[in-house]
């Protein structure tokens, strides 16, 4: 999904995002998967949350967000291999 302006937008314009539409660690921690797996580190917990929500498909509130996530993450620094490891 893409948001495209049909008219010129003033410089510095801010478009508010409703708080319920922001996926935060707090949102994940109070979810059913977050309460069940509370001891996991935040990265693993977020990953598990997204796996569960993706599996729910259209029943998930987060489906539109999940649908626009990249499927390839080789560009992300967390996946970089140090030169020493090569």
């Amino acid at each position: 999904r893409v948001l495209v302006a049909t008219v010129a937008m003033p410089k510095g314009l801010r478009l508010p995002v409703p708080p319920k539409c922001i996926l935060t660690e707090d949102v994940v921690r109070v979810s059913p998967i977050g309460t069940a797996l509370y001891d996991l580190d935040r990265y693993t917990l977020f990953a598990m949350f997204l796996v569960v929500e993706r599996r729910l498909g259209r029943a998930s509130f987060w489906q539109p967000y999940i649908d626009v996530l990249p499927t390839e993450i080789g560009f992300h620094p967390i996946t970089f291999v140090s030169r020493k490891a090569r």
Side-chain angles (χ1 to χ4, degrees), residues 23-24 27-29 31-57 60 62 65-66 69:
L23 184 57
T24 65
V27 169
V28 173
R29 293 244 179 241
S31 71
I33 195 74
T35 55
L37 303 174
Y38 195 82
D39 291 336
L40 292 178
D41 65 90
R42 77 173 73 167
Y43 303 107
T44 306
L45 190 54
F46 262 94
M48 294 303 297
F49 177 84
L50 290 171
V51 166
V52 169
E53 293 297 314
R54 183 175 184 206
R55 182 92 167 125
L56 290 173
S60 172
W62 298 103
Y65 171 73
I66 292 167
L69 289 174

Side-chain angles (χ1 to χ4, degrees), residues 5-15:
T6 58
V7 296
M9 305 296 282
K11 185 175 182 176
L13 176 70
R14 294 181 184 190
L15 299 174

Side-chain angles (χ1 to χ4, degrees), residues 59-79:
S60 172
F61 172 81
W62 298 103
Q63 183 194 14
Y65 171 73
I66 292 167
D67 287 347
V68 299
L69 289 174
T71 56
E72 171 58 43
I73 63 166
F75 64 87
H76 195 283
I78 201 168
T79 64

